[in-house]
Amino acid sequence: MTQKEISLEEQFQARIDRGESIEPKDWMPEKYRKTHIRQISQHAHSEVVGMLPEGNWITRTPNLRRKVGLLAKVQDEAGHGLYLYSAAETLGISRDEMFEQLHTGKAKYSSIFNYPTLSWADIGTIGWLVDGAAIINQVMLTRTSFGPYARAMVRICKEESFHQRQGYEIMIGLSHGTPEQKEMAQDALNRFWWPSLMMFGPKDDESPNTEMSVKWKIKRKTNDELRQQFIDITIPQAEYLGLTVPDPDLKWNEERGHYDFGAIDWDEFWQVVKGNGPCNKERLAARNKAWDEGAWVRDAALAHAEKKASKNVSKVA
Amino acid sequence: MMSKNNEWPIWEVFIRSKNGLEHRHVGSLHAAGEEMALENARDVYTRRQEGVSIWVVESKHIHATNPSEAGELFEPAADKVYRHPTFYDLPEELKHI
């Protein structure tokens, strides 16, 4: 590293330490740029792939109220993907490159979306737990050091507040309904509880990126801190529903002021990350199909714009 | 009619008022080129430290919606109450949701 680069890097760190935002045209270490491209594009992919398990239920909602709510939520996820892709593009990666990475399986997205949505209660559980976990992560990210990412998060958090309420309302309906409905709600919680806890990522001592993320204020809390925060606020919500999380070791620890919880099956987590989850192949296939079948729309729009432009040129001449 | 051939083009000016915030439109000015536009914007719009960063965009590059179409464009969102958190009935005693 040259002397000049060292001092640029020191100046950059000093800006971060002072709490300044970094903007796309500012000097930044290559690693900071690459880390953001990876993190923001993966976040965008999660929003987009996240539409699949829920979209699966739009035609089968129990009534119209549930249908408009779910439709609006899935529409929001598409918008959130757009904000995030746009934020990543400010760092010099193209939209096509990001899609290519997603469609070839090179890029990751949140593993939670590789689990199937088997019953209507899964939609309630996803809104309650998966959006709940996402909100905890995203509220933290509204103060992340990269300006466009932080501002996208502010917008997303504002819009997302209804998602979790939509899910929880479904859960109230089911868990306070017939015994069969309550059983359905409990079954969904059983299946989604542990994958939801895994959403916060590996434990701090096994997370290679944590130290750098904290130093550069990409994250302001560690995976374990966020996971604990999620458990602490979610357990009372489960109790209100009269449902039990599938963890025999879960109990309130008076001394710590937090819930203690059982061991997470990290083998399962890594298996799903590596592509061996229940729905990895299905999700990628659906994305590729949508991309391929949309090709004629993209081509037609471009051809139309070119035709219009050439007409304008001849009019001016 | 006076010839406008030599009139400098109009530029729209966007200012970031504080580190971390987005740029916002503050007004416009005339300038012969982008450098002059930035200098003029700095002289006119940040005399009292109103900003930490300036963007200028030549006005002809801005495309806008037609005010006469505002109804059909924006009114449909008015009756979509289910896009708002308050649409969902949750008990008061519930926390963090």
Side-chain angles (χ1 to χ4, degrees):
Chain A
M1 208 182 276
T2 66
Q3 192 59 43
K4 190 170 164 239
E5 274 172 7
I6 292 170
S7 80
L8 278 173
E9 208 149 349
E10 282 170 356
Q11 285 173 33
F12 176 83
Q13 190 59 50
R15 290 192 62 198
I16 298 265
D17 294 341
R18 283 197 299 271
E20 288 181 25
S21 283
I22 306 302
E23 296 296 339
K25 285 177 192 270
D26 298 349
W27 185 90
M28 62 184 79
E30 206 39 40
K31 185 95 202 285
Y32 181 89
R33 178 187 304 275
K34 289 222 171 92
T35 301
H36 271 89
I37 288 178
R38 197 191 67 236
Q39 184 173 329
I40 302 172
S41 64
Q42 287 183 5
H43 196 160
H45 298 329
S46 302
E47 300 282 352
V48 169
V49 177
M51 287 190 281
L52 298 170
E54 293 189 294
N56 173 37
W57 277 92
I58 288 174
T59 56
R60 296 182 287 162
T61 57
N63 57 46
L64 190 58
R65 180 185 175 89
R66 297 287 183 242
K67 190 180 190 119
V68 291
L70 185 59
L71 256 178
K73 179 179 191 295
V74 173
Q75 274 185 329
D76 273 0
E77 310 298 3
H80 296 172
L82 171 77
Y83 307 155
L84 287 160
Y85 282 126
S86 301
E89 282 171 305
T90 65
L91 290 166
I93 188 169
S94 73
R95 188 79 58 106
D96 279 356
E97 278 175 88
M98 287 187 274
F99 283 157
E100 164 89 12
Q101 290 172 356
L102 173 64
H103 295 152
T104 55
K106 192 182 155 214
K108 303 290 177 213
Y109 51 85
S110 185
S111 279
I112 194 82
F113 302 119
N114 289 317
Y115 290 86
T117 41
L118 303 175
S119 82
W120 171 246
D122 291 13
I123 299 305
T125 306
I126 286 179
W128 171 36
L129 297 183
V130 176
D131 285 78
I135 287 167
I136 284 180
N137 192 40
Q138 292 177 160
V139 165
M140 169 192 72
L141 287 172
T142 60
R143 294 167 62 236
T144 189
S145 60
F146 184 55
Y149 194 24
R151 290 190 290 274
M153 282 299 119
V154 170
R155 209 183 163 92
I156 288 176
C157 284
K158 213 187 278 175
E159 295 180 351
E160 199 136 275
S161 59
F162 100 72
H163 295 185
Q164 198 189 13
R165 293 174 66 90
Q166 175 261 167
Y168 199 81
E169 197 189 73
I170 294 172
M171 295 308 277
I172 292 178
L174 293 172
S175 61
H176 296 175
T178 66
E180 289 81 4
Q181 284 175 320
K182 185 168 183 183
E183 201 183 310
M184 200 162 95
Q186 181 64 54
D187 171 64
L189 174 58
N190 291 349
R191 283 180 290 109
F192 276 95
W193 176 250
W194 292 106
S196 298
L197 298 189
M198 293 175 197
M199 282 178 70
F200 297 98
K203 281 162 62 169
D204 292 348
D205 47 15
E206 284 156 26
S207 171
N209 298 326
T210 292
E211 195 190 332
M212 193 192 65
S213 288
V214 170
K215 179 180 153 213
W216 278 340
K217 294 189 182 162
I218 299 173
K219 299 188 73 159
R220 289 173 177 260
K221 289 179 183 173
T222 69
N223 296 352
D224 286 335
E225 286 170 335
L226 292 167
R227 188 164 16 244
Q228 183 72 61
Q229 187 186 340
F230 173 73
I231 293 170
D232 290 347
I233 67 177
T234 306
I235 296 303
Q237 296 168 357
E239 284 167 356
Y240 179 85
L241 295 172
L243 302 177
T244 318
V245 299
D247 179 357
D249 296 325
L250 186 112
K251 74 171 191 294
W252 177 252
N253 184 324
E254 194 63 53
E255 210 174 296
R256 288 204 309 131
H258 294 292
Y259 283 94
D260 290 336
F261 55 97
I264 293 172
D265 181 359
W266 292 109
D267 286 342
E268 176 183 324
F269 174 77
W270 289 114
Q271 279 300 322
V272 182
V273 169
K274 281 177 192 146
N276 303 320
C279 297
N280 294 60
K281 290 191 179 68
E282 193 184 324
R283 302 290 184 240
L284 267 196
R287 280 310 311 154
N288 275 289
K289 181 167 178 272
W291 177 254
D292 294 342
E293 290 180 355
W296 72 270
V297 180
R298 298 191 295 276
D299 292 345
L302 262 187
H304 178 69
E306 277 162 18
K307 195 169 146 193
K308 228 173 134 185
S310 68
K311 263 190 195 159
N312 283 345
V313 169
S314 59
K315 232 187 268 169
V316 172
Chain B
M1 200 174 124
M2 265 173 64
S3 161
K4 287 183 74 183
N5 284 349
N6 291 327
E7 188 169 308
W8 295 346
I10 303 180
W11 300 73
E12 301 298 327
V13 181
F14 300 82
I15 305 260
R16 186 197 305 287
S17 62
K18 215 173 93 186
N19 182 269
L21 298 183
E22 73 278 34
H23 288 78
R24 300 194 97 164
H25 187 244
V26 292
S28 55
L29 47 73
H30 285 270
E34 65 265 23
E35 254 173 72
M36 189 196 279
L38 285 170
E39 281 167 12
N40 289 359
R42 172 222 175 241
D43 289 347
V44 178
Y45 288 106
T46 63
R47 290 201 303 279
R48 291 174 186 80
Q49 290 190 297
E50 287 94 337
V52 295
S53 165
I54 302 173
W55 284 351
V56 290
V57 182
E58 222 183 310
S59 301
K60 68 176 183 194
H61 294 303
I62 307 255
H63 301 271
T65 54
N66 188 336
S68 68
E69 290 167 2
E72 62 191 83
L73 287 175
F74 307 118
E75 273 167 22
D79 63 358
K80 297 189 170 46
V81 284
Y82 47 84
R83 288 177 179 166
H84 298 272
T86 43
F87 179 73
Y88 301 89
D89 294 324
L90 264 52
E92 293 275 334
E93 65 259 41
L94 211 62
K95 299 258 164 56
H96 306 292
I97 198 161

